[in-house]
Amino acid sequence: MHLESLRIFRDLVNTGTFSKAAELNYLTQSAVSQQLQSLEKSVGRPLLDRGNRKIKLTTAGQLFFKAAKRMVATYEEMTARIQSAAP
């Protein structure tokens, strides 16, 4: 599992659409879908309920989303601190 996959998942849930998540990450909708499938395979559970056109998190998806948000935020905070640190 890569940080980029977590970022894409976070953006997918936050925006509510595959197309907006794809746009934010400079990907195709198909690539976002493939990332989601890869994440679901790695955790062994569906993360989204695909019953209708709206994105709805499963119970596993809710847990995964909370953790993904924290991990991405921690990474972004760390890189910002490194960039602002004196050489």
Side-chain angles (χ1 to χ4, degrees):
M1 186 177 327
H2 298 281
L3 183 66
E4 280 305 308
S5 298
L6 299 178
R7 184 177 284 129
I8 292 164
F9 183 72
R10 178 204 62 188
D11 293 345
L12 174 60
V13 175
N14 283 341
T15 63
T17 70
F18 283 80
S19 60
K20 288 179 184 174
E23 184 180 322
L24 284 173
N25 291 281
Y26 305 100
L27 299 169
T28 63
Q29 289 179 7
S30 175
V32 172
S33 181
Q34 290 171 11
Q35 288 288 331
L36 175 62
Q37 289 173 351
S38 177
L39 288 172
E40 289 177 326
K41 184 177 179 182
S42 72
V43 299
R45 302 254 189 221
L47 299 174
L48 296 181
D49 179 7
R50 292 170 176 79
N52 57 32
R53 296 184 67 100
K54 239 181 180 180
I55 288 182
K56 182 179 177 194
L57 291 168
T58 61
T59 301
Q62 292 171 1
L63 295 169
F64 192 87
F65 178 60
K66 287 177 187 177
K69 282 193 316 184
R70 283 193 312 267
M71 287 185 263
V72 171
T74 299
Y75 176 80
E76 290 173 347
E77 179 183 329
M78 176 203 55
T79 55
R81 285 183 177 184
I82 289 170
Q83 294 300 318
S84 66

